[in-house]
């Protein structure tokens, strides 16, 4: 039996569909973000990052780096075990208290990643509610989809942000059946936002629980950076809020914040929490400092909003087909997998600009795009250089310019 052929064939299929992904070997440099170095066979080359999820550059903030380094020196490199077996170190306890306070909830629970917090959080919560029906937005992240699947619960998918469809499904479930609505605040590929308050209205009307993923919003929106639900004054109405420490907070890990009974139950029953080593103390300490800083400082969010506005305006003026979004995410549409990869490659090789191509299955076929994430450290010169490079690439490859702005569906 030639087992290797199975894997070779699987990878060959990706190449044939122009979906094979190549990793860029990037070395970020403290104090110079978004400038970095790309390691190539020909040697190191300078590059400017325009697709980082370190949205505010907090991974480079001196206070965050100092907290990580000092904690590693005093407490060591690893956690030493699972949370149940010696891994509940003091920085983790402080971090969970900080996150609970951020979201105005009695308790929070930290996982090893945002993916794990959704996958194991949703599946565990649903398993503990007898006969629950899960109602899930059609554009939810893969981690949420997997959590729904692994729960074994019956599920219904409602059309993206379609409140009439959601209400129809809630009505059909009947008043006595437990129901869990699972959705996001900021959808990371289209950059659109869910109507959190109106979803909470429906949840209250039909007796449903709500589970909100704020991964692409925490740190970025709200008076203290708690996300869109805080910004919209709806945070207290959401039953479970999930977030990440690996994006705007610049570290690593995921979490949920909720009531004491929910957090205690997940802590006690979730395999993805119980059977994995805890985050190291240094990471927890750094994340705690980042969360605490962004609670008090609006400077980073204000600078981000300014840079995003400038970038969108200049892309529009160049006649490039960006998806119109109300958030910090700027998708520039290509609509073809091969062209999308070619555009990304040319930006990198010719212009020293790194923007990862986004192809299927991350987005539907025919909606391939470059997902641009301006940050507070992208100055006017970098924005001008980006737009000039995009303009040259679009002209060189003959990519369609179907209007400056495309309304998100």
């Amino acid at each position: 039996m030639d087992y290797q052929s199975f894997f070779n064939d699987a990878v060959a299929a990706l190449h044939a569909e122009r979906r094979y992904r190549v990793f860029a070997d990037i070395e970020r440099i403290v104090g110079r973000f978004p400038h970095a170095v790309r390691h190539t066979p020909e040697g190191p080359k300078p590059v400017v990052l325009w697709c980082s999820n370190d949205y505010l550059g907090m991974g480079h903030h001196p206070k965050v780096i100092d907290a990580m380094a000092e904690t590693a020196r005093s407490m060591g490199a690893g956690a030493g075990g699972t949370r149940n077996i010696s891994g509940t170190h003091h920085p983790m306890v402080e971090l969970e208290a900080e996150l609970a306070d951020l979201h105005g909830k009695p308790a929070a629970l930290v996982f090893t990643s945002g993916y794990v917090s959704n996958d194991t959080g949703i599946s565990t919560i649903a398993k503990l509610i007898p006969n629950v029906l899960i109602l899930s937005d059609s554009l939810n992240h893969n981690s949420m989809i997997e959590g729904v699947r692994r729960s074994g619960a019956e599920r219904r998918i409602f059309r993206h942000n379609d409140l009439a469809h959601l209400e129809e499904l809630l009505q059909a479930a009947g008043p006595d059946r437990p129901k869990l609505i699972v959705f996001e605040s900021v959808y990371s590929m289209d950059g659109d936002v869910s109507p959190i308050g109106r979803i909470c209205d429906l949840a209250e009307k039909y007796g449903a629980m709500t589970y909100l993923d704020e991964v692409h919003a925490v740190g970025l929106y709200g008076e203290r950076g708690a996300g869109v639900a805080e910004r919209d004054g709806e945070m207290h109405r959401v039953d479970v809020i999930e977030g990440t420490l690996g994006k705007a907070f610049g570290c690593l890990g995921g979490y949920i914040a909720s009531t004491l009974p929910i957090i205690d139950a997940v802590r006690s029953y979730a395999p993805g929490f119980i059977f994995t080593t805890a985050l190291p103390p240094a990471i927890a300490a750094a994340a705690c400092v980042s969360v605490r800083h962004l609670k008090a400082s609006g400077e980073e969010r204000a600078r981000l909003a300014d840079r995003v506005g400038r970038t969108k305006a200049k892309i529009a003026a160049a006649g490039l087909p960006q998806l119109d979004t109300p958030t910090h995410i700027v998708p520039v549409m290509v609509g073809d997998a091969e062209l999308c990869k070619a555009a990304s490659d040319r930006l990198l090789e010719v212009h020293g600009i790194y923007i990862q191509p986004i192809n299927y299955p991350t987005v539907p076929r025919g909606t391939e795009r470059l997902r641009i994430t301006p940050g507070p450290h992208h100055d006017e010169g970098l924005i001008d250089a980006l737009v000039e490079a995009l303009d040259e690439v679009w002209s060189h490859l003959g990519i369609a310019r179907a209007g400056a702005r495309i309304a998100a569906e």
Side-chain angles (χ1 to χ4, degrees), residues 148-371:
V148 171
R149 285 176 178 164
R150 287 205 313 110
S151 74
E154 185 180 356
R155 62 185 183 272
R156 293 284 184 272
I157 310 302
F158 61 93
R159 291 184 293 271
H160 177 54
N161 280 348
D162 189 329
L163 296 173
H165 190 210
L166 174 58
E167 183 164 21
E168 178 185 320
L169 296 174
L170 287 165
Q171 284 178 329
D176 298 326
R177 185 171 189 184
K179 297 169 283 291
L180 175 64
I181 304 171
V182 178
F183 64 110
E184 300 182 41
S185 60
V186 174
Y187 288 84
S188 63
M189 290 300 121
D190 286 352
D192 59 335
V193 176
S194 64
I196 297 172
R198 294 166 69 192
I199 291 175
C200 288
D201 290 341
L202 290 177
E204 291 167 5
K205 181 178 179 180
Y206 293 98
M209 270 186 65
T210 49
Y211 180 107
L212 174 63
D213 175 319
E214 290 257 37
V215 158
H216 292 275
V218 288
L220 301 168
Y221 301 96
E223 184 68 24
R224 299 199 305 160
V228 176
E230 182 194 26
R231 183 197 70 182
D232 294 351
E234 306 290 353
M235 195 162 58
H236 63 289
R237 302 176 69 195
V238 179
D239 293 300
V240 183
I241 295 176
E242 185 265 352
T244 184
L245 304 167
K247 292 183 170 59
F249 292 127
C251 295
L252 175 70
Y255 64 89
I256 59 173
S258 188
T259 63
L260 285 168
I262 289 174
I263 295 300
D264 199 23
V266 173
R267 179 188 70 83
S268 302
Y269 282 90
F273 176 82
I274 295 169
F275 297 106
T276 191
T277 300
L279 286 180
I283 292 176
C288 193
V289 166
S290 183
V291 172
R292 193 176 294 139
H293 173 83
L294 289 174
K295 282 181 182 178
S297 172
E299 180 183 351
E300 292 82 5
R301 289 187 283 276
R303 283 210 314 266
L304 174 70
D306 175 76
R307 301 306 192 269
V308 169
R310 291 172 184 267
T311 303
K312 287 180 176 180
K314 293 191 175 186
I315 289 175
L320 296 162
Q322 67 177 306
L323 198 63
D324 197 11
T325 80
T327 63
H328 60 286
I329 295 166
V330 185
V332 179
M333 307 305 288
V334 179
D336 178 271
E338 192 166 358
L339 278 176
C340 195
K341 177 67 164 61
S344 175
D345 288 346
R346 186 167 180 82
L347 283 168
L348 189 58
E349 298 298 338
V350 176
H351 299 282
I353 289 173
Y354 177 45
I355 307 173
Q356 183 70 13
I358 306 296
N359 295 333
Y360 178 85
T362 306
V363 296
R365 288 185 174 90
T367 69
E368 293 82 3
R369 67 200 63 185
L370 299 179
R371 177 183 177 274

Side-chain angles (χ1 to χ4, degrees), residues 23-37:
F23 295 152
D25 183 353
I26 301 294
E27 180 182 339
R28 304 200 305 169
I29 305 166
V30 171
R32 295 193 58 205
F33 185 73
H35 294 276
V37 171

Side-chain angles (χ1 to χ4, degrees), residues 64-74 282:
V64 175
I65 294 171
D66 287 347
M68 181 175 285
E70 290 168 9
T71 305
R73 290 191 191 98
S74 64

Side-chain angles (χ1 to χ4, degrees), residues 80-102:
T82 66
R83 292 292 298 275
N84 292 318
I85 305 174
S86 81
T88 299
H89 46 77
H90 189 60
M92 181 71 79
V93 175
E94 290 186 316
L95 174 59
E96 288 177 338
E98 203 71 49
L99 292 166
D101 174 76
L102 175 67

Side-chain angles (χ1 to χ4, degrees), residues 8-172:
N8 286 328
D9 290 347
V11 173
L14 294 177
H15 279 289
E17 295 177 20
R18 305 294 191 268
R19 293 198 293 118
Y20 183 76
R21 301 182 180 189
V22 178
F23 295 152
D25 183 353
I26 301 294
E27 180 182 339
R28 304 200 305 169
I29 305 166
V30 171
R32 295 193 58 205
F33 185 73
H35 294 276
V37 171
R38 179 170 69 101
H39 293 275
T40 74
E42 296 77 34
K45 297 181 179 181
V47 66
V48 178
L49 305 180
W50 274 98
C51 60
S52 175
N53 282 344
D54 186 357
Y55 293 130
L56 298 175
M58 290 302 294
H60 294 256
H61 196 287
K63 291 197 299 188
V64 175
I65 294 171
D66 287 347
M68 181 175 285
E70 290 168 9
T71 305
R73 290 191 191 98
S74 64
M75 297 186 67
T82 66
R83 292 292 298 275
N84 292 318
I85 305 174
S86 81
T88 299
H89 46 77
H90 189 60
M92 181 71 79
V93 175
E94 290 186 316
L95 174 59
E96 288 177 338
E98 203 71 49
L99 292 166
D101 174 76
L102 175 67
H103 293 291
K105 303 296 184 186
L109 193 66
V110 168
F111 298 81
T112 50
S113 75
Y115 193 102
V116 173
S117 58
N118 269 335
D119 184 10
T120 200
I122 292 170
S123 61
T124 303
I125 289 168
K127 283 178 180 178
L128 294 173
I129 305 173
N131 195 35
V132 70
L133 174 68
I134 301 179
L135 301 113
S136 179
D137 189 285
S138 62
L139 291 190
N140 277 343
H141 189 263
N142 177 265
S143 59
M144 304 177 79
I145 294 169
E146 288 302 311
V148 171
R149 285 176 178 164
R150 287 205 313 110
S151 74
E154 185 180 356
R155 62 185 183 272
R156 293 284 184 272
I157 310 302
F158 61 93
R159 291 184 293 271
H160 177 54
N161 280 348
D162 189 329
L163 296 173
H165 190 210
L166 174 58
E167 183 164 21
E168 178 185 320
L169 296 174
L170 287 165
Q171 284 178 329

